[in-house]
């Protein structure tokens, strides 16, 4: 990776973290509820992807 790519990545990560920090300060209750909801969606998506890959390996995906 180039230094320029790394610098952009670090700047974007830093700006994202600043945004999360400001969001949590300004909209405390709503922001934390949003993060919990997004985390729940991410966990559900990961569970579905894992279940799909496990069923595909066993040949059960054709049944569903």
């Amino acid at each position: 990776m180039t230094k320029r790519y790394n610098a952009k990545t670090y700047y974007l990560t830093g700006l994202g973290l600043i945004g999360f920090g400001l969001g949590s300060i300004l909209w405390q209750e709503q922001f934390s509820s949003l993060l919990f909801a997004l985390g729940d969606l991410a966990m559900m998506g990961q569970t579905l992807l894992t279940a799909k890959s496990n069923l595909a390996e066993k040949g059960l995906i054709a049944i569903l």
Side-chain angles (χ1 to χ4, degrees):
M1 289 188 205
T2 63
K3 288 184 179 183
R4 188 174 188 182
Y5 177 77
N6 283 338
K8 286 182 182 179
T9 304
Y10 291 143
Y11 284 130
L12 289 175
T13 303
L15 288 175
L17 290 174
I18 289 171
F20 278 122
L22 288 175
S24 65
I25 289 171
L26 296 175
W27 303 287
Q28 293 172 359
E29 192 169 319
Q30 296 89 357
F31 192 75
S32 62
S33 297
L34 173 70
L35 288 181
F36 280 123
L38 290 175
D40 289 341
L41 287 175
M43 286 177 26
M44 286 177 23
Q46 185 62 41
T47 302
L48 291 174
L49 289 174
T50 304
K52 182 180 173 185
S53 81
N54 285 342
L55 290 175
E57 286 178 6
K58 295 178 182 176
L60 297 175
I61 198 74
I63 295 171
L64 299 175

